Coordinates of all heavy atoms in Angstrom, one line a residue:
M1 N -40.8 12.3 -36.2 CA -40.2 13.7 -36.4 C -38.9 13.5 -37.2 O -38.0 12.8 -36.7 CB -40.1 14.3 -35.0 CG -39.5 15.7 -35.1 SD -39.4 16.4 -33.4 CE -40.4 17.9 -33.7
P2 N -38.8 14.2 -38.3 CA -37.5 14.2 -39.0 C -36.4 14.8 -38.3 O -36.5 15.8 -37.5 CB -37.9 14.9 -40.3 CG -39.0 15.8 -40.0 CD -39.8 15.1 -38.9
A3 N -35.2 14.3 -38.6 CA -34.0 14.9 -37.9 C -33.7 16.2 -38.6 O -33.8 16.4 -39.8 CB -32.8 13.9 -38.1
I4 N -33.2 17.1 -37.7 CA -32.9 18.5 -38.2 C -31.4 18.6 -38.2 O -30.7 18.3 -37.2 CB -33.5 19.6 -37.3 CG1 -35.0 19.5 -37.4 CG2 -33.0 20.9 -37.7 CD1 -35.7 20.4 -36.4
I5 N -30.8 18.9 -39.3 CA -29.4 19.1 -39.4 C -29.1 20.6 -39.3 O -29.6 21.4 -40.1 CB -28.8 18.5 -40.7 CG1 -29.1 17.0 -40.7 CG2 -27.3 18.8 -40.8 CD1 -28.7 16.3 -42.0
E6 N -28.2 20.9 -38.4 CA -27.8 22.3 -38.3 C -26.3 22.4 -38.5 O -25.5 21.6 -38.1 CB -28.1 22.9 -36.9 CG -29.6 23.0 -36.6 CD -29.9 23.6 -35.3 OE1 -29.1 24.5 -34.8 OE2 -30.9 23.3 -34.7
F7 N -25.9 23.5 -39.1 CA -24.5 23.8 -39.4 C -24.0 24.9 -38.4 O -24.8 25.8 -38.1 CB -24.3 24.2 -40.8 CG -24.6 23.1 -41.8 CD1 -25.8 23.0 -42.4 CD2 -23.6 22.1 -42.1 CE1 -26.1 22.0 -43.3 CE2 -23.9 21.1 -42.9 CZ -25.2 21.0 -43.6
V8 N -22.8 24.7 -38.0 CA -22.2 25.8 -37.1 C -20.9 26.3 -37.7 O -20.3 25.6 -38.5 CB -21.9 25.2 -35.7 CG1 -23.1 24.8 -35.0 CG2 -20.9 24.1 -35.8
T9 N -20.6 27.5 -37.4 CA -19.4 28.1 -37.9 C -18.2 27.5 -37.1 O -18.4 27.0 -36.0 CB -19.4 29.6 -37.7 OG1 -19.4 29.9 -36.3 CG2 -20.6 30.3 -38.4
P10 N -17.0 27.6 -37.7 CA -15.8 27.2 -37.0 C -15.7 27.9 -35.6 O -15.3 27.3 -34.6 CB -14.7 27.5 -37.9 CG -15.3 27.5 -39.3 CD -16.7 28.0 -39.1
T11 N -16.0 29.2 -35.6 CA -16.0 29.9 -34.3 C -16.9 29.3 -33.3 O -16.6 29.2 -32.1 CB -16.3 31.4 -34.6 OG1 -15.4 31.9 -35.5 CG2 -16.2 32.2 -33.3
E12 N -18.2 29.0 -33.7 CA -19.1 28.4 -32.8 C -18.7 27.1 -32.3 O -18.8 26.7 -31.1 CB -20.5 28.3 -33.5 CG -21.2 29.6 -33.8 CD -22.4 29.5 -34.6 OE1 -22.4 28.6 -35.5 OE2 -23.4 30.3 -34.5
H13 N -18.1 26.3 -33.2 CA -17.6 25.0 -32.9 C -16.5 25.1 -31.8 O -16.4 24.4 -30.8 CB -17.1 24.2 -34.1 CG -16.5 22.9 -33.8 ND1 -15.2 22.7 -33.6 CD2 -17.1 21.7 -33.6 CE1 -15.0 21.4 -33.3 NE2 -16.1 20.8 -33.3
Q14 N -15.5 26.0 -32.0 CA -14.4 26.2 -31.1 C -14.9 26.6 -29.7 O -14.4 26.2 -28.7 CB -13.4 27.2 -31.7 CG -12.2 27.4 -30.8 CD -11.4 26.1 -30.6 OE1 -11.3 25.3 -31.5 NE2 -10.9 25.9 -29.4
K15 N -15.9 27.5 -29.7 CA -16.5 28.0 -28.5 C -17.1 26.8 -27.7 O -17.0 26.6 -26.5 CB -17.6 29.0 -28.7 CG -18.1 29.6 -27.5 CD -19.1 30.8 -27.8 CE -19.6 31.3 -26.5 NZ -20.6 32.4 -26.7
L16 N -17.8 25.9 -28.4 CA -18.4 24.7 -27.8 C -17.3 23.8 -27.3 O -17.5 23.2 -26.2 CB -19.3 24.0 -28.8 CG -20.0 22.8 -28.3 CD1 -21.0 23.1 -27.2 CD2 -20.8 22.1 -29.5
V17 N -16.3 23.6 -28.0 CA -15.2 22.7 -27.6 C -14.6 23.3 -26.3 O -14.3 22.5 -25.3 CB -14.1 22.6 -28.7 CG1 -12.8 22.0 -28.2 CG2 -14.6 21.8 -29.9
E18 N -14.4 24.6 -26.2 CA -13.8 25.2 -25.0 C -14.7 25.1 -23.9 O -14.3 24.8 -22.7 CB -13.5 26.7 -25.3 CG -12.3 26.8 -26.3 CD -12.1 28.3 -26.7 OE1 -12.9 29.2 -26.3 OE2 -11.2 28.5 -27.6
E19 N -16.0 25.2 -24.1 CA -17.0 25.1 -23.0 C -17.1 23.7 -22.5 O -17.1 23.5 -21.3 CB -18.4 25.5 -23.6 CG -19.4 25.5 -22.5 CD -20.8 26.1 -22.9 OE1 -20.8 26.7 -24.0 OE2 -21.8 25.9 -22.2
V20 N -17.0 22.7 -23.4 CA -17.0 21.3 -22.9 C -15.7 21.0 -22.1 O -15.8 20.3 -21.1 CB -17.1 20.3 -24.1 CG1 -16.8 18.9 -23.7 CG2 -18.5 20.4 -24.8
A21 N -14.6 21.5 -22.5 CA -13.3 21.3 -21.8 C -13.5 21.9 -20.4 O -13.0 21.3 -19.4 CB -12.2 21.9 -22.5
Y22 N -14.0 23.1 -20.3 CA -14.2 23.8 -19.0 C -15.2 23.0 -18.1 O -14.9 22.8 -17.0 CB -14.8 25.2 -19.3 CG -15.1 25.9 -18.0 CD1 -14.0 26.4 -17.1 CD2 -16.4 26.2 -17.6 CE1 -14.3 27.0 -16.0 CE2 -16.6 26.9 -16.4 CZ -15.6 27.3 -15.6 OH -15.9 27.9 -14.4
L23 N -16.3 22.5 -18.7 CA -17.2 21.7 -17.9 C -16.6 20.4 -17.4 O -16.9 20.0 -16.3 CB -18.5 21.4 -18.8 CG -19.4 22.6 -19.0 CD1 -20.5 22.2 -20.0 CD2 -19.9 23.2 -17.7
R24 N -15.7 19.8 -18.2 CA -15.0 18.6 -17.8 C -14.1 18.9 -16.5 O -14.0 18.1 -15.6 CB -14.1 18.0 -18.9 CG -15.0 17.3 -19.9 CD -14.1 16.7 -21.0 NE -14.9 15.9 -21.9 CZ -14.5 15.5 -23.1 NH1 -13.2 15.8 -23.5 NH2 -15.3 14.9 -23.9
L25 N -13.5 20.1 -16.6 CA -12.7 20.5 -15.4 C -13.5 20.7 -14.2 O -13.2 20.3 -13.1 CB -11.9 21.8 -15.7 CG -10.7 21.6 -16.7 CD1 -10.2 23.0 -17.0 CD2 -9.6 20.7 -16.1
L26 N -14.7 21.3 -14.4 CA -15.6 21.5 -13.2 C -16.1 20.2 -12.6 O -16.1 20.0 -11.4 CB -16.8 22.4 -13.7 CG -16.5 23.9 -13.9 CD1 -17.8 24.5 -14.4 CD2 -16.0 24.5 -12.7
V27 N -16.4 19.3 -13.5 CA -16.9 18.0 -13.0 C -15.8 17.3 -12.3 O -16.0 16.7 -11.2 CB -17.4 17.1 -14.2 CG1 -17.6 15.7 -13.8 CG2 -18.7 17.7 -14.7
A28 N -14.5 17.3 -12.8 CA -13.4 16.7 -12.2 C -13.2 17.3 -10.8 O -12.9 16.6 -9.8 CB -12.2 16.8 -13.0
D29 N -13.3 18.6 -10.7 CA -13.1 19.3 -9.4 C -14.2 18.9 -8.4 O -13.9 18.6 -7.3 CB -13.1 20.8 -9.6 CG -11.8 21.3 -10.2 OD1 -10.8 20.6 -10.3 OD2 -11.8 22.5 -10.6
L30 N -15.4 18.8 -8.9 CA -16.5 18.4 -8.1 C -16.3 17.0 -7.6 O -16.5 16.7 -6.4 CB -17.9 18.5 -8.9 CG -19.1 18.0 -8.1 CD1 -19.4 18.8 -6.9 CD2 -20.3 18.0 -9.0
L31 N -16.0 16.1 -8.4 CA -15.7 14.7 -8.0 C -14.6 14.6 -7.0 O -14.7 13.8 -6.0 CB -15.4 13.8 -9.2 CG -16.6 13.6 -10.2 CD1 -16.2 12.8 -11.4 CD2 -17.8 12.9 -9.5
D32 N -13.5 15.3 -7.2 CA -12.4 15.3 -6.2 C -12.9 15.8 -4.9 O -12.5 15.3 -3.9 CB -11.3 16.2 -6.8 CG -10.5 15.5 -7.8 OD1 -10.6 14.3 -8.0 OD2 -9.7 16.2 -8.5
S33 N -13.8 16.8 -4.9 CA -14.2 17.4 -3.6 C -15.2 16.4 -2.9 O -15.3 16.5 -1.7 CB -15.0 18.7 -3.8 OG -16.2 18.5 -4.4
L34 N -15.8 15.5 -3.6 CA -16.7 14.5 -3.0 C -16.0 13.2 -2.6 O -16.6 12.4 -2.0 CB -17.9 14.2 -4.0 CG -18.8 15.4 -4.4 CD1 -19.8 14.9 -5.4 CD2 -19.5 15.9 -3.1
D35 N -14.8 13.1 -3.1 CA -14.0 11.8 -2.9 C -13.6 11.7 -1.4 O -13.2 12.7 -0.8 CB -12.8 11.8 -3.8 CG -12.2 10.4 -3.9 OD1 -12.8 9.5 -3.4 OD2 -11.1 10.3 -4.4
D36 N -13.7 10.6 -0.8 CA -13.2 10.3 0.5 C -12.5 9.0 0.5 O -12.5 8.3 -0.5 CB -14.3 10.4 1.5 CG -15.4 9.3 1.3 OD1 -15.6 8.9 0.2 OD2 -16.1 9.0 2.3
E37 N -11.9 8.6 1.6 CA -11.2 7.4 1.7 C -12.1 6.3 2.4 O -12.8 6.6 3.3 CB -9.9 7.5 2.5 CG -8.9 8.4 1.7 CD -7.6 8.5 2.5 OE1 -7.5 8.1 3.6 OE2 -6.7 9.0 1.9
V38 N -12.1 5.1 1.8 CA -12.9 4.0 2.4 C -11.9 2.8 2.8 O -10.8 2.7 2.2 CB -13.9 3.5 1.4 CG1 -14.9 4.6 1.1 CG2 -13.3 3.0 0.1
N39 N -12.4 2.0 3.7 CA -11.6 0.9 4.1 C -11.7 -0.3 3.1 O -12.5 -0.2 2.1 CB -12.0 0.4 5.5 CG -13.5 0.0 5.6 OD1 -14.1 -0.4 4.5 ND2 -14.0 0.0 6.8
T40 N -11.0 -1.3 3.3 CA -10.9 -2.5 2.4 C -12.3 -3.1 2.1 O -12.6 -3.4 1.0 CB -9.9 -3.5 2.9 OG1 -8.6 -2.9 3.0 CG2 -9.8 -4.7 1.9
S41 N -13.0 -3.3 3.2 CA -14.3 -4.0 3.0 C -15.3 -3.1 2.2 O -16.0 -3.7 1.3 CB -15.0 -4.4 4.4 OG -15.2 -3.2 5.1
T42 N -15.3 -1.8 2.4 CA -16.1 -1.0 1.5 C -15.6 -0.9 0.1 O -16.4 -0.9 -0.8 CB -16.1 0.5 2.1 OG1 -16.6 0.4 3.5 CG2 -17.0 1.4 1.3
A43 N -14.3 -0.9 -0.1 CA -13.7 -0.9 -1.4 C -14.1 -2.2 -2.2 O -14.4 -2.2 -3.4 CB -12.2 -0.8 -1.4
L44 N -14.1 -3.3 -1.5 CA -14.6 -4.6 -2.1 C -16.0 -4.5 -2.6 O -16.3 -4.9 -3.7 CB -14.4 -5.8 -1.1 CG -13.0 -6.2 -0.8 CD1 -13.0 -7.2 0.4 CD2 -12.4 -6.9 -2.0
R45 N -16.8 -3.9 -1.7 CA -18.3 -3.8 -2.1 C -18.4 -2.8 -3.2 O -19.2 -3.1 -4.2 CB -19.0 -3.3 -0.9 CG -20.5 -3.2 -1.1 CD -21.3 -2.8 0.2 NE -20.7 -1.7 0.9 CZ -20.9 -0.4 0.6 NH1 -21.6 -0.1 -0.5 NH2 -20.3 0.6 1.3
L46 N -17.7 -1.7 -3.2 CA -17.9 -0.7 -4.3 C -17.3 -1.2 -5.6 O -17.9 -0.9 -6.7 CB -17.1 0.6 -3.9 CG -17.7 1.4 -2.7 CD1 -16.8 2.5 -2.4 CD2 -19.1 1.9 -3.1
T47 N -16.2 -1.9 -5.6 CA -15.6 -2.4 -6.9 C -16.3 -3.6 -7.4 O -16.3 -3.9 -8.6 CB -14.1 -2.7 -6.7 OG1 -14.0 -3.7 -5.7 CG2 -13.4 -1.5 -6.4
G48 N -16.9 -4.4 -6.5 CA -17.5 -5.7 -7.0 C -16.5 -6.8 -7.0 O -16.8 -7.9 -7.3
I49 N -15.3 -6.5 -6.5 CA -14.3 -7.5 -6.4 C -14.6 -8.4 -5.2 O -15.0 -7.9 -4.1 CB -12.9 -6.9 -6.2 CG1 -12.5 -6.1 -7.5 CG2 -11.8 -8.0 -5.9 CD1 -11.2 -5.3 -7.4
K50 N -14.5 -9.7 -5.3 CA -15.0 -10.6 -4.3 C -13.9 -10.9 -3.2 O -14.3 -11.3 -2.1 CB -15.4 -12.0 -4.9 CG -16.5 -11.8 -5.9 CD -17.8 -11.2 -5.3 CE -18.9 -11.1 -6.3 NZ -19.9 -10.1 -5.9
S51 N -12.6 -10.9 -3.5 CA -11.7 -11.3 -2.5 C -10.6 -10.2 -2.2 O -10.3 -9.4 -3.1 CB -10.9 -12.6 -2.8 OG -10.0 -12.3 -3.8
R52 N -10.2 -10.1 -1.0 CA -9.1 -9.1 -0.6 C -7.9 -9.3 -1.4 O -7.2 -8.4 -1.9 CB -8.9 -9.3 0.9 CG -7.9 -8.3 1.4 CD -7.8 -8.5 3.0 NE -6.8 -7.6 3.5 CZ -5.5 -7.9 3.5 NH1 -5.0 -9.0 3.0 NH2 -4.6 -7.1 4.0
T53 N -7.5 -10.6 -1.7 CA -6.3 -10.9 -2.5 C -6.4 -10.3 -3.9 O -5.5 -9.7 -4.4 CB -6.1 -12.4 -2.5 OG1 -6.1 -12.9 -1.2 CG2 -4.8 -12.8 -3.2
T54 N -7.6 -10.5 -4.5 CA -7.8 -9.9 -5.8 C -7.7 -8.4 -5.8 O -7.2 -7.8 -6.7 CB -9.1 -10.4 -6.4 OG1 -9.2 -11.8 -6.4 CG2 -9.3 -9.9 -7.8
L55 N -8.3 -7.8 -4.8 CA -8.2 -6.3 -4.7 C -6.8 -5.8 -4.6 O -6.4 -4.9 -5.2 CB -9.0 -5.9 -3.4 CG -9.1 -4.4 -3.2 CD1 -9.8 -3.7 -4.3 CD2 -9.8 -4.1 -1.8
I56 N -6.0 -6.5 -3.8 CA -4.6 -6.2 -3.6 C -3.8 -6.3 -5.0 O -3.1 -5.5 -5.4 CB -3.9 -7.1 -2.5 CG1 -4.4 -6.7 -1.2 CG2 -2.4 -6.9 -2.6 CD1 -4.1 -7.6 -0.1
A57 N -4.1 -7.4 -5.7 CA -3.5 -7.6 -7.0 C -3.9 -6.6 -8.0 O -3.1 -6.1 -8.7 CB -3.8 -9.0 -7.5
E58 N -5.2 -6.2 -7.9 CA -5.7 -5.2 -8.8 C -5.1 -3.8 -8.5 O -4.7 -3.1 -9.4 CB -7.2 -5.1 -8.8 CG -7.8 -4.1 -9.7 CD -7.5 -4.4 -11.2 OE1 -7.3 -5.5 -11.6 OE2 -7.4 -3.4 -11.9
R59 N -4.9 -3.4 -7.3 CA -4.4 -2.1 -6.9 C -2.9 -2.0 -7.3 O -2.4 -0.9 -7.5 CB -4.6 -1.8 -5.5 CG -3.6 -2.5 -4.5 CD -3.8 -2.0 -3.1 NE -2.8 -2.6 -2.3 CZ -2.9 -3.0 -1.1 NH1 -4.1 -3.0 -0.5 NH2 -1.9 -3.5 -0.4
N60 N -2.2 -3.2 -7.4 CA -0.8 -3.2 -7.8 C -0.5 -3.3 -9.2 O 0.6 -3.3 -9.7 CB 0.0 -4.3 -7.0 CG 0.0 -4.0 -5.5 OD1 0.1 -2.8 -5.1 ND2 -0.1 -5.0 -4.7
R61 N -1.6 -3.6 -10.0 CA -1.5 -3.7 -11.4 C -1.1 -2.4 -12.1 O -1.7 -1.4 -11.7 CB -2.8 -4.3 -12.0 CG -2.8 -4.7 -13.5 CD -4.1 -5.2 -13.9 NE -5.2 -4.4 -13.7 CZ -5.5 -3.4 -14.6 NH1 -4.8 -3.1 -15.6 NH2 -6.6 -2.6 -14.3
P62 N -0.2 -2.4 -13.0 CA 0.1 -1.1 -13.7 C -1.2 -0.6 -14.5 O -2.0 -1.4 -14.9 CB 1.2 -1.5 -14.7 CG 1.8 -2.8 -14.3 CD 0.7 -3.5 -13.5
E63 N -1.3 0.7 -14.5 CA -2.5 1.3 -15.2 C -3.8 1.0 -14.6 O -4.8 1.2 -15.2 CB -2.5 0.8 -16.7 CG -1.2 1.0 -17.5 CD -1.0 2.4 -17.9 OE1 -1.9 3.2 -18.0 OE2 0.2 2.8 -18.0
T64 N -3.8 0.6 -13.3 CA -5.1 0.4 -12.6 C -5.8 1.7 -12.3 O -5.2 2.8 -12.2 CB -4.9 -0.4 -11.3 OG1 -6.2 -0.7 -10.8 CG2 -4.1 0.5 -10.3
L65 N -7.1 1.7 -12.2 CA -7.9 2.8 -11.9 C -7.9 3.1 -10.3 O -8.3 4.1 -9.9 CB -9.3 2.7 -12.4 CG -9.4 2.7 -13.9 CD1 -10.9 2.4 -14.3 CD2 -9.0 4.0 -14.5
L66 N -7.6 2.0 -9.6 CA -7.7 2.1 -8.1 C -6.6 2.9 -7.5 O -5.4 2.7 -7.8 CB -7.7 0.7 -7.5 CG -8.9 -0.2 -7.8 CD1 -8.6 -1.6 -7.1 CD2 -10.1 0.4 -7.2
R67 N -7.0 3.9 -6.7 CA -6.0 4.7 -6.0 C -6.1 4.4 -4.5 O -7.3 4.2 -4.0 CB -6.3 6.2 -6.2 CG -6.1 6.7 -7.6 CD -6.2 8.2 -7.7 NE -7.2 8.8 -6.9 CZ -8.3 9.3 -7.3 NH1 -8.7 9.2 -8.6 NH2 -9.2 9.9 -6.4
Y68 N -5.0 4.2 -3.9 CA -5.0 3.8 -2.5 C -3.9 4.5 -1.8 O -3.0 5.0 -2.4 CB -4.9 2.3 -2.3 CG -3.6 1.8 -2.6 CD1 -2.7 1.5 -1.6 CD2 -3.2 1.5 -3.9 CE1 -1.4 1.0 -1.9 CE2 -2.0 1.0 -4.2 CZ -1.1 0.7 -3.2 OH 0.2 0.2 -3.5
S69 N -4.0 4.6 -0.4 CA -2.9 5.1 0.4 C -2.7 4.2 1.6 O -3.7 3.5 2.0 CB -3.1 6.5 0.8 OG -4.4 6.6 1.5
S70 N -1.5 4.1 2.1 CA -1.3 3.3 3.3 C -0.9 4.2 4.4 O -0.2 5.2 4.3 CB -0.2 2.3 3.0 OG 1.0 2.9 2.7
H71 N -1.4 3.8 5.6 CA -1.2 4.6 6.8 C -0.7 3.5 7.8 O -1.5 2.9 8.5 CB -2.4 5.2 7.3 CG -3.2 6.0 6.3 ND1 -2.8 7.2 5.9 CD2 -4.3 5.6 5.6 CE1 -3.7 7.6 5.0 NE2 -4.6 6.7 4.7
G72 N 0.6 3.3 7.8 CA 1.2 2.2 8.6 C 0.7 0.9 7.9 O 1.0 0.6 6.7
R73 N 0.0 0.0 8.7 CA -0.5 -1.2 8.1 C -1.9 -1.1 7.5 O -2.4 -2.0 6.9 CB -0.5 -2.3 9.2 CG 0.9 -2.7 9.6 CD 0.9 -3.7 10.8 NE -0.1 -4.7 10.6 CZ 0.2 -6.0 10.6 NH1 1.4 -6.4 10.7 NH2 -0.8 -6.9 10.5
S74 N -2.5 0.0 7.8 CA -3.9 0.3 7.3 C -3.9 0.8 5.9 O -3.1 1.7 5.5 CB -4.6 1.3 8.2 OG -5.8 1.6 7.8
I75 N -4.8 0.3 5.0 CA -4.9 0.7 3.6 C -6.3 1.4 3.5 O -7.2 0.9 4.0 CB -4.8 -0.4 2.7 CG1 -3.4 -1.2 2.8 CG2 -5.0 0.0 1.2 CD1 -2.2 -0.4 2.4
S76 N -6.3 2.5 2.8 CA -7.6 3.1 2.4 C -7.6 3.4 0.9 O -6.6 3.6 0.3 CB -7.8 4.4 3.2 OG -6.8 5.3 3.0
Y77 N -8.8 3.3 0.4 CA -9.0 3.4 -1.1 C -9.8 4.7 -1.4 O -10.7 5.1 -0.6 CB -9.7 2.2 -1.6 CG -8.9 0.9 -1.5 CD1 -9.0 0.2 -0.3 CD2 -8.1 0.5 -2.5 CE1 -8.2 -0.9 -0.2 CE2 -7.4 -0.7 -2.4 CZ -7.4 -1.4 -1.2 OH -6.7 -2.5 -1.1
S78 N -9.6 5.3 -2.5 CA -10.4 6.4 -2.9 C -11.7 5.9 -3.4 O -11.8 5.0 -4.2 CB -9.7 7.1 -4.1 OG -10.6 7.8 -4.9
R79 N -12.8 6.4 -2.8 CA -14.2 6.0 -3.2 C -14.4 6.3 -4.7 O -14.9 5.4 -5.4 CB -15.2 6.8 -2.3 CG -16.6 6.4 -2.7 CD -17.6 7.3 -1.9 NE -17.5 7.1 -0.5 CZ -18.1 6.1 0.2 NH1 -18.9 5.3 -0.4 NH2 -18.0 6.1 1.5
A80 N -14.0 7.4 -5.2 CA -14.2 7.7 -6.6 C -13.5 6.7 -7.5 O -14.0 6.3 -8.5 CB -13.7 9.2 -6.9
S81 N -12.3 6.3 -7.1 CA -11.5 5.4 -7.9 C -12.2 4.0 -7.9 O -12.2 3.3 -8.9 CB -10.1 5.3 -7.5 OG -9.9 4.6 -6.3
C82 N -12.8 3.6 -6.8 CA -13.5 2.3 -6.7 C -14.7 2.3 -7.6 O -15.0 1.4 -8.4 CB -13.9 2.1 -5.3 SG -12.6 1.7 -4.1
L83 N -15.4 3.5 -7.6 CA -16.6 3.6 -8.5 C -16.2 3.6 -10.0 O -16.8 3.0 -10.8 CB -17.4 4.8 -8.1 CG -18.0 4.7 -6.7 CD1 -18.7 6.1 -6.4 CD2 -19.0 3.6 -6.6
A84 N -15.1 4.3 -10.3 CA -14.6 4.4 -11.7 C -14.2 3.0 -12.1 O -14.4 2.6 -13.3 CB -13.4 5.3 -11.8
Y85 N -13.5 2.2 -11.2 CA -13.1 0.8 -11.6 C -14.4 0.0 -11.9 O -14.4 -0.7 -12.9 CB -12.4 0.2 -10.4 CG -12.0 -1.2 -10.6 CD1 -10.8 -1.6 -11.2 CD2 -12.9 -2.2 -10.2 CE1 -10.5 -2.9 -11.4 CE2 -12.6 -3.6 -10.4 CZ -11.4 -3.9 -11.0 OH -11.1 -5.2 -11.2
K86 N -15.4 0.1 -11.1 CA -16.6 -0.7 -11.4 C -17.2 -0.3 -12.7 O -17.7 -1.1 -13.5 CB -17.6 -0.5 -10.2 CG -18.8 -1.5 -10.3 CD -19.6 -1.5 -9.1 CE -20.6 -2.6 -9.1 NZ -21.3 -2.7 -7.8
R87 N -17.3 1.0 -13.0 CA -17.9 1.5 -14.3 C -17.1 1.0 -15.4 O -17.6 0.5 -16.4 CB -17.9 3.0 -14.3 CG -19.1 3.6 -13.7 CD -19.2 5.1 -14.0 NE -18.0 5.9 -13.8 CZ -17.6 6.4 -12.7 NH1 -18.4 6.3 -11.6 NH2 -16.5 7.1 -12.6
A88 N -15.7 1.0 -15.3 CA -14.9 0.6 -16.4 C -15.1 -0.9 -16.6 O -15.0 -1.4 -17.8 CB -13.4 0.9 -16.1
W89 N -15.2 -1.7 -15.6 CA -15.4 -3.1 -15.7 C -16.7 -3.4 -16.4 O -16.8 -4.3 -17.2 CB -15.4 -3.8 -14.3 CG -15.4 -5.2 -14.3 CD1 -16.5 -6.0 -13.9 CD2 -14.5 -6.2 -14.8 NE1 -16.2 -7.3 -14.1 CE2 -15.0 -7.5 -14.7 CE3 -13.2 -6.0 -15.3 CZ2 -14.3 -8.6 -15.0 CZ3 -12.5 -7.1 -15.7 CH2 -13.0 -8.4 -15.5
R90 N -17.8 -2.7 -16.1 CA -19.1 -2.9 -16.7 C -18.9 -2.6 -18.2 O -19.5 -3.3 -19.0 CB -20.1 -2.0 -16.2 CG -20.6 -2.4 -14.8 CD -21.7 -1.5 -14.4 NE -22.1 -1.8 -13.0 CZ -22.7 -1.0 -12.2 NH1 -23.0 0.3 -12.6 NH2 -23.1 -1.3 -11.0
I91 N -18.2 -1.6 -18.6 CA -18.1 -1.3 -20.0 C -17.3 -2.4 -20.8 O -17.6 -2.7 -21.9 CB -17.4 0.1 -20.2 CG1 -18.3 1.2 -19.6 CG2 -17.0 0.4 -21.6 CD1 -17.6 2.5 -19.5
K92 N -16.3 -3.0 -20.1 CA -15.5 -4.0 -20.8 C -16.3 -5.2 -21.1 O -16.0 -5.9 -22.0 CB -14.3 -4.4 -19.9 CG -13.2 -3.3 -19.8 CD -12.1 -3.8 -18.9 CE -11.1 -2.8 -18.7 NZ -10.1 -3.2 -17.7
Q93 N -17.3 -5.6 -20.3 CA -18.0 -6.8 -20.4 C -19.0 -6.8 -21.5 O -19.5 -6.0 -22.1 CB -18.7 -7.2 -19.1 CG -17.7 -7.6 -18.1 CD -18.4 -8.0 -16.8 OE1 -19.5 -7.7 -16.6 NE2 -17.6 -8.6 -15.9

């Protein structure tokens, strides 16, 4: 089947750009609403990182994707950030 080339007006293009931006916001809101906190062992499994020491080093690295919070001595990780980290690692390889 031959490729069909269609042309759009600048107004149609701008409308599409705005719609994509809006959809990105909706997806971000949806992901935030589904995000929960996981413990260290679950974070290791989700990220694919093999050792706790490496996980700690990675969460302290500038520009890391991993988000975490501490509650006294207990650390919890954002499930969404663990999954984003794993996706980003797959893309790099």
Side-chain angles (χ1 to χ4, degrees):
M1 180 178 236
I4 299 173
I5 298 175
E6 292 185 32
F7 295 95
V8 296
T9 66
T11 304
E12 292 171 327
H13 179 263
Q14 184 58 36
K15 185 176 178 182
L16 183 60
V17 168
E18 290 169 3
E19 187 174 346
V20 168
Y22 177 70
L23 290 173
R24 284 182 177 166
L25 288 173
L26 286 178
V27 168
D29 288 346
L30 176 63
L31 291 176
D32 285 343
S33 73
L34 298 175
D35 195 13
D36 62 338
E37 294 184 348
V38 297
N39 61 22
T40 299
S41 63
T42 303
L44 287 167
R45 184 176 48 78
L46 291 173
T47 59
I49 296 174
K50 300 299 181 203
S51 76
R52 185 177 173 275
T53 305
T54 304
L55 182 65
I56 291 169
E58 182 58 33
R59 78 174 187 222
N60 292 326
R61 187 177 59 79
E63 307 286 330
T64 187
L65 293 174
L66 290 176
R67 294 190 322 257
Y68 71 97
S69 57
S70 59
H71 313 280
R73 291 174 44 121
S74 176
I75 301 290
S76 59
Y77 295 85
S78 155
R79 179 183 300 272
S81 75
C82 290
L83 295 172
Y85 175 88
K86 189 170 189 173
R87 275 193 311 275
W89 185 251
R90 284 183 185 159
I91 292 170
K92 287 180 187 176
Q93 292 180 346

